[in-house]
Amino acid sequence: MDRLGKHYQEEAERAGVSLQVFSSSQTNIAAKLRKADAMVIFTNKVSHRVKIEAMQVAKAMDIPVFMHHACGVCTFRNCLKCIANREQ
């Protein structure tokens, strides 16, 4: 994930999206996620605890969540397109 972070940032910039990448467990991640307009969770790269915590925040704050097993740049690009379509 760390090596893909740069590519995710580039794709987000092309799409005009502000992006934060959390590639490792962080303290108080729930507070950081509350500000999100949407979440992309790559399920093969996060722990169950982090996924559950993220989903609880998303549900409480009505944040759309896109979950995918694969974490490739193409998958992320497709998520950005879905987010853009939701906003229209």
Side-chain angles (χ1 to χ4, degrees):
M1 276 287 285
D2 289 335
R3 66 180 176 82
L4 291 174
K6 179 179 90 171
H7 300 290
Y8 296 152
Q9 290 287 354
E10 291 169 357
E11 289 298 323
E13 286 178 20
R14 282 190 202 123
V17 173
S18 175
L19 175 71
Q20 282 189 299
V21 176
F22 300 103
S23 60
S24 61
S25 185
Q26 297 185 10
T27 58
N28 204 13
I29 195 165
K32 296 172 185 174
L33 295 176
R34 288 183 199 281
K35 302 171 189 169
D37 293 325
M39 289 185 211
V40 177
I41 299 174
F42 294 123
T43 57
N44 66 335
K45 295 295 177 185
V46 298
S47 69
H48 290 288
R49 182 189 59 79
V50 171
K51 179 185 156 207
I52 290 168
E53 192 174 350
M55 293 303 294
Q56 288 172 343
V57 170
K59 185 176 181 181
M61 303 300 291
D62 197 29
I63 300 170
V65 178
F66 300 88
M67 286 196 290
H68 293 277
H69 184 72
C71 63
V73 175
C74 290
T75 302
F76 180 68
R77 192 178 301 130
N78 290 337
C79 289
L80 290 175
K81 289 177 187 174
C82 290
I83 292 168
N85 289 338
R86 280 185 67 106
E87 292 176 353
Q88 293 177 350

